[in-house]
Amino acid sequence: MEKSFEQNVIDAEARRQQLKELGLHYDDLVLKLTLSIETSHCETFLIFGDFMSRFVAAFAQASMYSIWRSLRNRFVFAHVAQELDEEACCSSYFFQDQPNILFVLRSYANATDFELKTNKYVGPRAEQPQQLILIDRYDARLQLFQHNVPLFPDKLRDLQGREVIIACFDYRPYTVIKYTSPSNARDVGVAMHSNLSQVYIDGTETQVVLSFCAQFNCTVQIDTSDANDWGNIYPNMSGDGALGMILGHKADICIGAMYSWYDDYTYLDLSMYLVRSGITCLVPAPKRLASWYLPLEPFQATLWAAVLLCLSIETFGLVLAHRSELELYAGATPVHGWWRSTKFGLVTTFKLFISQSGNSHARSVTVRVLLFACFLNDIIITSIYGGGLASILTIPSLDEAADTMQRMLDQRLQWAGNSEAWVSSIRGSDDPLMNELLDNFGVYSDEQLLELAQSKRMGFTLERLPFGHFAIGDYLTEQSIEHMVIMQEDLYYQYTVAFVPRLWPLLERFNALVYRWHSSGFDKYWEDRVVADNLNVKIQQQVESTVLSSGQEDIDIEPVMLGMSNFAGILLVWVLGISLALMAFSVEMLTLKYST
């Protein structure tokens, strides 16, 4: 026991220091409750008399400070009935949101009979779920209950229309909000008399909440008042966006591609995973290759080396054959004979290679047979080359697309999204490749992204859903996607969850429903149905058609009309040939002039 006490003192001091560093308010009671929850996993609390209001405030803080989360809390409040103002003491959110609350009331201090009351909890909030209702009486002298009913009844089995408020925004296909369709929910962030208060909600994650409420008889409402983004939770326990609405008691559950962000999980709770989401990018489509080296493209470097070796052998053979012919028929001198034979071999070889006829007269059978063999060989080579060049010019080759993380980095491709939430899960990663990619990431508004998608070659984030569909922002239009391809791999992936407040009593049953949801295949069914009903199917098909395989030979590229860019290399060869011919002609003219 002495060791346990010392350890508790050490834990208390360490926890006190952590709370100070985070700038969080606490007192001795908050610290004791925090340690009780963390170390002993205490879930049942007995509170007497005037300590009730102090305990409720302290427990709300301690439950958020604690690392360990409790889902089966029970609270017993002992009080004197004459001293209890039910309306004043039960006005906090605590009595509205906790189902397992028991009040043990006696009429005066020494009374032996007790009234046992609990908060209503179920039913619409307008009917005051925090009000106390009598469930039984207990006579201490006879040790008998009047009705002998459970003191902590299961209120979660039938919520009797109690509202479950969703904090979300229109982010398809996870959450869909339509103001012009027949409504199935109410937006409590909009005035009741407004035309926008009645909405139609749908979505792959929204359907999970709708199914939950259908099973447990609760009413789904949404609140979009502050949910203009996913939002953030800050160390001082304040927040903004959809997540901030959970801390502000404006919503019960937050959905819409919420990843399991650790900083937000510190002060909130999260459900079992809902959807596997892969973060990837639409990147600029590869450009067609049209440059000066196109005439070299039909053959690989090794094949060009083989062609040059073949031409060299032809030249050498023709030189020897022509030299022998001169010795047999012309009696040429050694010096002039070798020079004439070398010119004959070089000129004839290149003439045959470019399918030009020679003007020399071959008298020996050896030279004639060799010329015939070289002619056949060069016809085969030039035919293969011509076919390859024609296919390259009409079915163009492409350069590399930045469709992998390494290629994105090599090409220093800028990529962007409309929120920091796109990359918050990988900030601080140990992967050097990921950190270098993050240096090229930027956050822009939807209007800026719409303009950039049409005018600048860069990458744009989207989500790859588990069953072949994509969550695509409205800033990516059909026209901009025509010039993009989707990456072959995900930058990273996350599992989306639902964020809920600490101590949310419905979390355990919500998780059980999600288990059944996945095992029965509803996740695939609702993804297909929601995408078909609420997304632009043409854009979905357009993105799917841009998927590149690892080898570009599998890409279906239609023939295109030839342009001047296709002839740049050929014109360069022509200009080079004309220049060399002019230089040779000038040298010949000058040599002839000065020799005479």
Side-chain angles (χ1 to χ4, degrees):
M1 293 298 294
E2 182 179 357
K3 182 178 180 181
S4 176
F5 175 77
E6 292 177 354
Q7 186 62 43
N8 288 337
V9 172
I10 295 174
D11 292 341
E13 290 301 320
R15 207 69 179 93
R16 191 192 306 271
Q17 186 63 31
Q18 290 176 2
L19 296 176
K20 283 184 178 180
E21 292 175 356
L22 293 174
L24 298 176
H25 171 74
Y26 71 95
D27 55 21
D28 290 340
L29 179 57
V30 172
L31 187 61
K32 290 177 181 178
L33 288 174
T34 303
L35 291 174
S36 297
I37 297 172
E38 285 186 353
T39 57
S40 63
H41 298 177
C42 183
E43 292 183 304
T44 303
F45 302 88
L46 177 62
I47 307 97
F48 292 93
D50 297 334
F51 287 99
M52 182 172 60
S53 58
R54 184 184 173 194
F55 169 83
V56 169
F59 183 79
Q61 289 180 278
S63 64
M64 297 186 69
Y65 296 167
S66 170
I67 298 174
W68 188 76
R69 290 111 198 282
S70 54
L71 298 177
R72 304 179 184 87
N73 292 295
R74 293 185 175 187
F75 306 93
V76 179
F77 294 93
H79 213 287
V80 177
Q82 296 177 348
E83 300 174 1
L84 179 66
D85 185 352
E86 294 185 10
E87 184 175 351
C89 75
C90 301
S91 60
S92 69
Y93 290 106
F94 177 85
F95 294 98
Q96 296 180 23
D97 298 335
Q98 293 302 312
N100 297 317
I101 294 176
L102 178 65
F103 275 80
V104 180
L105 303 177
R106 53 184 175 180
S107 55
Y108 55 92
N110 297 322
T112 58
D113 58 322
F114 299 87
E115 289 185 341
L116 305 177
K117 294 184 177 183
T118 186
N119 59 329
K120 182 173 178 286
Y121 184 75
V122 297
R125 296 174 193 266
E127 298 179 3
Q128 299 182 348
Q130 73 274 15
Q131 66 178 310
L132 300 182
I133 57 176
L134 181 66
I135 58 174
D136 208 344
R137 287 185 173 88
Y138 179 74
D139 190 328
R141 289 177 300 178
L142 301 177
Q143 298 183 358
L144 290 175
F145 289 96
Q146 181 179 354
H147 303 294
N148 199 26
V149 297
L151 300 181
F152 293 96
D154 186 4
K155 303 173 185 177
L156 306 182
R157 181 179 302 174
D158 182 4
L159 297 175
Q160 301 179 21
R162 177 186 173 92
E163 299 90 348
V164 171
I165 302 177
I166 306 173
C168 66
F169 53 96
D170 191 12
Y171 186 68
R172 306 181 183 189
Y174 297 99
T175 52
V176 179
I177 303 176
K178 295 181 180 180
Y179 294 95
T180 57
S181 301
S183 66
N184 62 352
R186 176 176 173 259
D187 188 346
V188 297
V190 178
M192 177 71 77
H193 62 271
S194 172
N195 294 331
L196 301 180
S197 63
Q198 301 301 318
V199 297
Y200 176 82
I201 60 175
D202 198 359
T204 56
E205 295 184 352
T206 306
Q207 286 295 335
V208 179
V209 183
L210 290 173
S211 298
F212 177 81
C213 281
Q215 179 176 348
F216 294 98
N217 190 20
C218 55
T219 302
V220 176
Q221 294 182 346
I222 67 168
D223 190 344
T224 60
S225 56
D226 296 330
N228 55 351
D229 196 353
W230 291 277
N232 297 283
I233 302 297
Y234 303 105
N236 62 354
M237 293 178 60
S238 64
D240 55 24
L243 290 170
M245 297 175 66
I246 300 292
L247 282 182
H249 301 283
K250 298 180 68 174
D252 300 304
I253 187 169
C254 181
I255 57 175
M258 297 286 176
Y259 296 163
S260 51
W261 297 306
Y262 177 76
D263 292 341
D264 302 318
Y265 172 69
T266 303
Y267 301 109
L268 299 175
D269 222 331
L270 50 81
S271 70
M272 179 196 171
Y273 88 93
L274 301 176
V275 177
R276 191 261 191 203
S277 172
I279 303 302
T280 186
C281 281
L282 275 173
V283 297
K287 293 182 178 179
R288 290 186 173 90
L289 294 176
S291 58
W292 64 269
Y293 56 84
L294 269 183
L296 302 178
E297 287 293 313
F299 291 164
Q300 296 180 356
T302 53
L303 188 53
W304 275 119
V307 170
L308 292 177
L309 178 61
C310 180
L311 294 179
S312 300
I313 294 174
E314 287 183 10
T315 303
F316 183 71
L318 289 173
V319 169
L320 292 181
H322 188 265
R323 171 61 182 168
S324 300
E325 183 184 63
L326 290 179
E327 290 181 351
L328 290 175
Y329 296 101
T333 59
V335 176
H336 294 88
W338 282 113
W339 173 241
R340 288 177 60 187
S341 299
T342 302
K343 288 194 296 181
F344 172 81
L346 287 172
V347 172
T348 303
T349 298
F350 284 104
K351 281 184 176 182
L352 293 175
F353 184 66
I354 59 177
S355 301
Q356 298 294 315
S357 61
N359 56 359
S360 58
H361 177 65
R363 289 178 287 181
S364 70
V365 177
T366 303
V367 174
R368 292 176 181 177
V369 172
L370 188 56
L371 285 172
F372 178 72
C374 292
F375 178 70
L376 291 178
N377 184 57
D378 291 342
I379 281 182
I380 295 173
I381 294 175
T382 53
S383 298
I384 296 173
Y385 175 82
L389 182 61
S391 65
I392 287 175
L393 291 176
T394 54
I395 307 295
S397 299
L398 305 175
D399 62 0
E400 279 190 341
D403 54 358
T404 65
M405 295 172 61
Q406 187 61 52
R407 290 176 183 173
M408 284 183 66
L409 183 60
D410 294 341
Q411 299 182 21
R412 299 187 179 278
L413 181 71
Q414 298 292 319
W415 55 295
N418 58 356
S419 173
E420 177 66 19
W422 286 102
V423 296
S424 60
S425 297
I426 53 176
R427 290 290 186 190
S429 171
D430 296 331
D431 186 358
L433 175 61
M434 187 64 70
N435 289 326
E436 291 186 56
L437 285 176
L438 288 174
D439 294 337
N440 298 327
F441 176 77
V443 178
Y444 302 90
S445 66
D446 286 1
E447 293 76 15
Q448 291 174 316
L449 290 173
L450 178 62
E451 182 179 352
L452 290 172
Q454 298 173 351
S455 61
K456 189 173 181 180
R457 289 179 61 85
M458 59 187 302
F460 299 90
T461 53
L462 54 80
E463 294 181 73
R464 194 194 308 267
L465 302 180
F467 301 107
H469 302 100
F470 301 91
I472 305 171
D474 293 335
Y475 46 82
L476 293 175
T477 62
E478 294 180 25
Q479 292 74 20
S480 58
I481 294 176
E482 287 179 356
H483 307 290
M484 298 180 184
V485 295
I486 196 167
M487 292 180 62
Q488 298 181 33
E489 59 186 7
D490 293 338
L491 295 172
Y492 71 98
Y493 71 90
Q494 280 277 340
Y495 291 99
T496 69
V497 297
F499 275 99
V500 298
R502 288 284 190 100
L503 305 177
W504 195 53
L506 300 175
L507 180 58
E508 190 171 10
R509 304 199 180 196
F510 184 81
N511 285 337
L513 180 135
V514 175
Y515 275 111
R516 298 192 298 271
W517 179 273
H518 288 304
S519 61
S520 59
F522 280 120
D523 48 357
K524 184 180 189 305
Y525 167 78
W526 282 111
E527 180 181 318
D528 293 339
R529 209 274 291 163
V530 171
V531 169
D533 290 350
N534 302 288
L535 269 65
N536 188 324
V537 178
K538 184 176 180 181
I539 288 182
Q540 291 287 320
Q541 295 173 345
Q542 194 175 4
V543 173
E544 292 176 17
S545 67
T546 66
V547 177
L548 293 179
S549 60
S550 58
Q552 290 187 356
E553 64 274 6
D554 296 332
I555 305 173
D556 184 15
I557 304 174
E558 296 181 354
V560 296
M561 295 179 62
L562 297 180
M564 287 303 300
S565 60
N566 298 105
F567 296 97
I570 298 174
L571 290 176
L572 184 61
V573 173
W574 180 79
V575 170
L576 181 61
I578 293 297
S579 301
L580 292 176
L582 287 174
M583 292 175 59
F585 177 72
S586 300
V587 171
E588 288 181 355
M589 293 297 295
L590 291 173
T591 302
L592 180 62
K593 178 179 179 181
Y594 288 107
S595 63
T596 58

